[in-house]
Structures are given as structure tokens and as C-alpha cells.
Amino acid sequence: MSILPAGVMQGLMRASSSMKMADASMGVYRWAKDSKQYDIMDRAAGYASVSMKEAEAHSEEAGKALEKDQREKRAKEKAEREAALEKHRQEAAAAREAEMRRQNAGKPEAVDNGANGQAEQSLPVGPSSTEGGMPTRGWTTAPAVQPAAVSTASDVKTYTPQGTVQSVSAEPSISFRV
């Protein structure tokens, strides 16, 4: 990999060779001036002037090529940064989604009660709460849409932390203390 792109190197080489030609012409100019040959001196000065203008043009050409290369590199770096940022955002979103799935994995999903296709959803009530006078140990369920003939006070379903359904059918007991 070269440090300078081809256009820049080509422009600099042309400018360098034009400067060497101008230097040679200036040597002829000095010799002609010392020997008082004014027509050779004028021609050498003309050649030196043309060579200097060519060197300047090639130098500008190299500068433009360098600016173009730098713009392209900046655009490429910007695209790479944006791609890396987008990748990071996607990874973060995937991580958040995985975290949400992991957190929701412990919560039971809707369960088909089988009799008439109605679904029940589990609601976290807490381990020490009671439903229908009976202590529940874990999660209790409340039907999303309660059918008239299916649920009674003695037919309580609980979900264990592992997600299995436990059906407790016992009559509630009432006790009094005097």
C-alpha cells in the first residue's frame, strides 16, 4: 500500500522534472549572461519560465489529487463509522430483546383451558396472597374471559414458578374465634 495515491505521485514527479528542466535552463541563462550572449540568455530565460509554469501546474494537479483522495478517505471512514454504529445499535437491540425474553421466560404464557378454547392468563399476585379464602403458594390465575359454567370458587388454579398448573378444588372453610 502506498502512502500517496497514484495521481499525487504522478503530479509530484512531473513537477520535480519540470523544476529540474527550469534549473538547467537557469544554468544556461547564467552562462549566457557571463559570456554576454543576450539572445541565448533570453531563450534560456523563456525556457526556464515555461518550465516553472509547468511545475506549478503539475504541483496544483498533485494538490487536487491529494484533496480528492482525502475526501474519499473521509467518506469511507464516515461510512465505516456509521456501519459500526449501526452494528452496535443492532447488537444492543438484540441484547435488550434477549434480556426481555430471558425476563419473560419465567412468566407463564396464556394457557388454553381446553373446555371451550378460552385462554387464561397468569397474573402475579404474590406468594402470600389468598384467593377464595385459600392460601396460594405461587402464581394464581384469573381468566381473561370467564365463562359462566367453568369457574367456581372451589375450582382454583395456581401456577408454580416452573409454569405447571395445579388445580386445587377444596371448599373454603370459615372459622370463628370467640
Side-chain angles (χ1 to χ4, degrees), residues 1 69-91:
M1 180 175 143
D69 182 61
Q70 289 174 343
R71 276 193 307 269
E72 290 173 356
K73 282 184 181 179
R74 281 192 298 264
K76 182 179 176 183
E77 288 173 356
K78 182 179 179 182
E80 288 174 355
R81 282 192 309 267
E82 288 176 357
L85 182 61
E86 183 62 29
K87 182 180 177 185
H88 177 70
R89 285 179 184 161
Q90 289 175 353
E91 289 173 353

Side-chain angles (χ1 to χ4, degrees), residues 25-154:
S25 297
M26 287 305 292
V28 171
Y29 174 83
R30 283 189 286 277
W31 173 81
K33 184 178 177 185
D34 290 342
S35 53
K36 299 201 192 294
Q37 296 181 2
Y38 298 111
D39 59 333
I40 296 174
M41 187 173 74
D42 287 338
R43 236 179 315 152
Y47 288 141
S49 175
V50 168
S51 295
M52 291 295 286
K53 287 179 183 176
E54 286 178 6
E56 184 179 353
H58 293 303
S59 179
E60 288 176 7
E61 183 181 304
K64 288 178 184 178
L66 182 61
E67 288 175 7
K68 179 183 174 188
D69 182 61
Q70 289 174 343
R71 276 193 307 269
E72 290 173 356
K73 282 184 181 179
R74 281 192 298 264
K76 182 179 176 183
E77 288 173 356
K78 182 179 179 182
E80 288 174 355
R81 282 192 309 267
E82 288 176 357
L85 182 61
E86 183 62 29
K87 182 180 177 185
H88 177 70
R89 285 179 184 161
Q90 289 175 353
E91 289 173 353
R96 282 192 302 269
E97 187 176 320
E99 180 66 23
M100 292 287 287
R101 279 193 220 138
R102 188 185 62 77
Q103 288 177 355
N104 290 337
K107 297 179 184 177
E109 298 287 324
V111 176
D112 187 6
N113 106 358
N116 53 2
Q118 299 285 334
E120 294 182 357
Q121 291 181 331
S122 63
L123 301 173
V125 180
S128 63
S129 66
T130 61
E131 184 173 315
M134 294 183 56
T136 59
R137 294 185 177 99
W139 303 94
T140 61
T141 62
V145 177
Q146 186 175 31
V150 175
S151 180
T152 63
S154 64

